[in-house]
Amino acid sequence: MSIAINKEKCIGCKKCLSVCPGSLIKPSENGKKVYIKYPKDCWGCSSCIKECPTSSISLYLGADIGGRGSKLTVQLENDLAHWKIEESNGTQHSININRKDSNQY
């Protein structure tokens, strides 16, 4: 698994840099945006996706979990997490999760 960074949406907050356990996300040459240096080395932990305030980072959902090229982004809003899934054909799905109740089991 790997991530994709949408440079158009990235605001350069660099929150993703501090949470990437592999230190794979780097600032661009001008320091205003970020990029992933070695996408194939990405662990797919999704820490950066959860941290990104603009949903600029998406996780590729591999064929091994039924994703077949789909991408997942996360948008946080108070106690809600909105998971947006975009399939390779453009179809979009949304899953809303109450973060307050998600770890109760």
Side-chain angles (χ1 to χ4, degrees):
M1 282 197 250
S2 186
I3 62 164
I5 299 174
N6 183 330
K7 292 177 186 173
E8 303 287 320
K9 292 172 72 176
C10 177
I11 59 171
C13 69
K14 299 182 183 70
K15 290 181 178 183
C16 54
L17 295 177
S18 62
V19 297
C20 180
S23 299
L24 300 174
I25 301 174
K26 305 289 183 189
S28 62
E29 285 185 26
N30 65 11
K32 295 183 180 182
K33 306 282 181 167
V34 296
Y35 70 98
I36 181 163
K37 189 163 185 177
Y38 301 111
K40 65 181 175 78
D41 292 341
C42 179
W43 305 350
C45 73
S46 74
S47 294
C48 58
I49 295 162
K50 295 178 208 169
E51 199 65 31
C52 182
T54 60
S55 300
S56 306
I57 305 173
S58 55
L59 176 71
Y60 283 107
L61 302 176
D64 56 333
I65 60 170
R68 289 177 259 144
S70 299
K71 290 192 273 183
L72 169 76
T73 56
V74 177
Q75 201 172 25
L76 303 177
E77 178 184 316
N78 299 321
D79 288 336
L80 292 177
H82 305 286
W83 291 11
K84 309 279 185 186
I85 300 169
E86 183 177 342
E87 295 182 23
S88 54
N89 66 6
T91 304
Q92 296 185 358
H93 306 276
S94 183
I95 301 169
N96 298 313
I97 298 168
N98 183 332
R99 296 187 313 155
K100 196 164 102 178
D101 298 331
S102 64
N103 292 324
Q104 70 182 3
Y105 300 105

